[in-house]
Amino acid sequence: MERLECCARLLRGTLVHAVHAAVRRYLPWALAAGMLAGSLLKELSPLPETYLSNKRNVFNVYFVKLAWAWTFCLLLPFIALTNYHLTGKAGLVLRRLSTLLVGTAIWYVCTALFSNIEHYTGSCYQSPSLEGVRKEHQNKQQCHGGGGFWHGFDISGHSFLLTFCALMIVEEMAVLHEVKTDRSHCLHTAITSLVVALGCLTFIWVCMFLCTAVYFHNLSQKVFGTLFGLLSWYGTYGFWYLKAFSPGLPPQSSSLNLKRDSY
């Protein structure tokens, strides 16, 4: 438990307290800059093949490909516990939890859009060198089933989703400014564990975002993917959630007129 507390204090200091405003302000720019720098490195001075350049690496298979599921499953109890602790009202907690439904809709719509764009801009070829168009295959599934290679404008879904998930976690963790719990209470243990898990998840998302920039896709595909992630974040937390009819932002001291639990 002591080690867990140490990790939680470190993550609070990094993502929440004194430098939290700076993290929230500069992380979007840092992600965009990292994507551009990694892409230029890929084009000008490719890095040697490593474990992370293999799409079958454990982080890609068990984390990135399930990025929204991991983010959803950890943010759900975190938002529920912290928001109920601060407000004491189930209705407000359900309203804030609807941010996860909004995120799910954004994930679904964007990934479907990317898939359609790749379909309508693509053709089936005999090899990755784009030799010999195979007109008999009209979609990606048929092409791959026939041993072909489908080439279209493949917007980076990883760049989009990892950007959106990392920024969403950082926004939701802003609530820790207000959360005070007794160390002897089980709520403290639960929230501390979730803080550590979310902090580690954010670190993985940022690292894998940079790996995508360095090893996969071309520049334009990553630019569009990252742009969709940034617009999804800003369109929700920077615009819509400021409105009355929305899930709202994490509760802050200026908006808390409701009771706090005391332990």
Side-chain angles (χ1 to χ4, degrees), residues 56-254:
R56 300 300 301 171
N57 73 75
V58 66
F59 296 103
N60 192 55
V61 173
Y62 295 106
F63 285 91
V64 177
K65 289 187 180 296
L66 301 171
W68 181 244
W70 280 104
T71 303
F72 186 103
C73 290
L74 288 177
L75 278 180
L76 191 151
F78 178 81
I79 293 173
L81 290 174
T82 54
N83 284 251
Y84 187 77
H85 173 67
L86 289 171
T87 67
K89 290 195 173 181
L92 291 177
V93 173
L94 291 175
R95 177 183 174 186
R96 292 260 37 260
L97 284 174
S98 66
T99 58
L100 297 175
L101 297 180
V102 173
T104 301
I106 290 172
W107 162 74
Y108 181 82
V109 170
C110 286
T111 51
L113 176 63
F114 298 167
S115 178
N116 284 327
I117 289 174
E118 185 184 14
H119 170 72
Y120 288 113
T121 60
S123 297
C124 186
Y125 297 87
Q126 291 182 358
S127 69
S129 59
L130 306 185
E131 297 175 349
V133 178
R134 303 176 65 172
K135 294 184 178 180
E136 68 273 18
H137 299 309
Q138 299 299 312
N139 59 56
K140 189 174 182 178
Q141 288 71 30
Q142 290 179 1
C143 181
H144 287 173
F149 178 80
W150 186 267
H151 179 72
F153 189 67
D154 181 19
I155 296 176
S156 175
H158 287 181
S159 296
F160 151 69
L161 190 56
L162 296 175
T163 297
F164 182 53
C165 286
L167 292 172
M168 185 175 182
I169 290 172
V170 170
E171 290 288 349
E172 291 298 334
M173 289 183 76
V175 76
L176 292 174
H177 272 301
E178 314 299 334
V179 174
K180 302 292 186 295
T181 56
D182 191 312
R183 293 185 62 177
S184 64
H185 198 278
C186 59
L187 179 63
H188 177 80
T189 302
I191 292 177
T192 298
S193 301
L194 288 168
V195 168
V196 172
L198 285 167
C200 291
L201 199 64
T202 304
F203 179 76
I204 293 173
W205 293 165
V206 172
C207 288
M208 295 309 295
F209 174 85
L210 295 176
C211 286
T212 299
V214 171
Y215 290 117
F216 305 106
H217 291 279
N218 62 39
L219 177 60
S220 60
Q221 293 167 350
K222 286 176 284 195
V223 166
F224 275 97
T226 304
L227 184 61
F228 270 94
L230 292 173
L231 289 176
S232 298
W233 158 74
Y234 184 77
T236 50
Y237 287 90
F239 181 73
W240 182 31
Y241 292 175
L242 300 176
K243 308 299 182 183
F245 296 101
S246 75
L249 294 171
Q252 300 292 305
S253 55
S254 59

